[in-house]
Amino acid sequence: GVYRTNRVIKASQPLFLYVLCAGTFLMGLSIVPLAIDDSIANQTACDAACVSFPWLLTLGFSASFAALFSKIWRINKIFHAAASFRRIKVQTKDVMIPFSGLLTSNVLLLLIWTIVDPPIYERIQISDTYSFGTCWNNWTTPSITIVAIIVAINLSAVILANFQAHRARHISDEFSESRYIKIIMASMLQIVLVSCPLLVMVHKSPEVFFFLL
């Protein structure tokens, strides 16, 4: 906010930058509910923490990448029109459809999951001396289906954002930081593709799940 009047910051579309920051904050905040267990909270609070984790992670992720997609898409539309000697005016609201669509889809899916089959905190007794608490002990068909759809939708957002960043690779960095975004997005795509299967494999081991996340 300190440099919001700077020419480069204005060209970078501050609204989308704010949304990116908010989304990143929510993603980071999502790890907090995973630290709760029944030694410091009752069953209701633990169940609420289990439910809040996917909400924070998914909404933060989708907000960040929907904003990123809209941001680069707007730049691409303006500069590709200029290359064709066409005059075009693209307002922020014109590229909010993908942003709104992704967030709405995620909210509806999370709402269905929360109502139909929410994750529940359970303490698993392994032996007389060892037990652990987890939200992911029993995966039912509705939960698996909803999570698979959420992952597919948000993975598509990352792929589309990578495509838009690739199209913007020749645009001056004074008006689009696409070269740097492309590097970050490609890295994030790799992380998502590797981490999602790993998270599924270790979801019954809370310490490993927490560390990997």
Side-chain angles (χ1 to χ4, degrees), residues 3-124:
Y3 300 102
R4 60 185 178 276
T5 59
N6 185 280
R7 181 169 176 263
V8 175
I9 297 298
K10 285 184 176 180
S12 295
Q13 307 159 85
L15 174 62
F16 294 123
L17 296 180
Y18 287 135
V19 176
L20 282 168
C21 290
T24 304
F25 176 75
L26 285 178
M27 280 194 289
L29 194 63
S30 68
I31 204 169
V32 174
L34 294 181
I36 199 170
D37 62 43
D38 51 5
S39 67
I40 58 174
N42 59 27
Q43 182 66 40
T44 301
C46 290
D47 289 344
C50 290
V51 172
S52 66
F53 165 71
W55 276 89
L56 291 170
L57 181 64
T58 304
L59 293 183
F61 187 91
S62 59
S64 298
F65 289 99
L68 183 62
F69 174 78
S70 298
K71 180 180 186 300
I72 302 179
W73 185 29
R74 184 185 187 192
I75 287 289
N76 278 331
K77 291 183 71 172
I78 293 173
F79 277 82
H80 284 286
S84 303
F85 300 100
R86 292 184 294 112
R87 183 176 180 180
I88 183 174
K89 183 178 181 180
V90 184
Q91 298 180 349
T92 301
K93 63 180 181 180
D94 297 327
V95 291
M96 289 299 287
I97 295 176
F99 180 88
S100 303
L102 184 61
L103 280 181
T104 301
S105 299
N106 279 298
V107 168
L108 287 176
L109 287 167
L110 288 167
L111 192 60
I112 293 171
W113 188 12
T114 302
I115 294 173
V116 174
D117 189 30
I120 297 174
Y121 184 87
E122 296 180 66
R123 178 156 291 278
I124 310 301

Side-chain angles (χ1 to χ4, degrees), residues 20 61 64-69 72 154-166 177-193:
L20 282 168
F61 187 91
S64 298
F65 289 99
L68 183 62
F69 174 78
I72 302 179
N154 289 282
L155 181 60
S156 299
V158 178
I159 294 172
L160 286 172
N162 272 276
F163 174 72
Q164 291 295 328
H166 178 72
E177 56 277 79
S178 57
R179 179 160 59 95
Y180 307 104
I181 292 175
K182 182 181 178 181
I183 294 172
I184 296 170
M185 292 298 299
S187 300
M188 182 59 71
L189 180 59
Q190 293 177 40
I191 292 171
V192 170
L193 292 175

Side-chain angles (χ1 to χ4, degrees), residues 131-192:
S131 67
F132 65 87
T134 178
C135 301
W136 326 110
N137 183 48
N138 293 315
W139 279 89
T140 62
T141 300
S143 291
I144 293 173
T145 303
I146 292 172
V147 170
I149 296 172
I150 290 174
V151 170
I153 289 175
N154 289 282
L155 181 60
S156 299
V158 178
I159 294 172
L160 286 172
N162 272 276
F163 174 72
Q164 291 295 328
H166 178 72
R167 289 189 65 201
R169 65 191 182 279
H170 299 306
I171 296 174
S172 170
D173 286 332
E174 183 178 5
F175 299 100
S176 170
E177 56 277 79
S178 57
R179 179 160 59 95
Y180 307 104
I181 292 175
K182 182 181 178 181
I183 294 172
I184 296 170
M185 292 298 299
S187 300
M188 182 59 71
L189 180 59
Q190 293 177 40
I191 292 171
V192 170

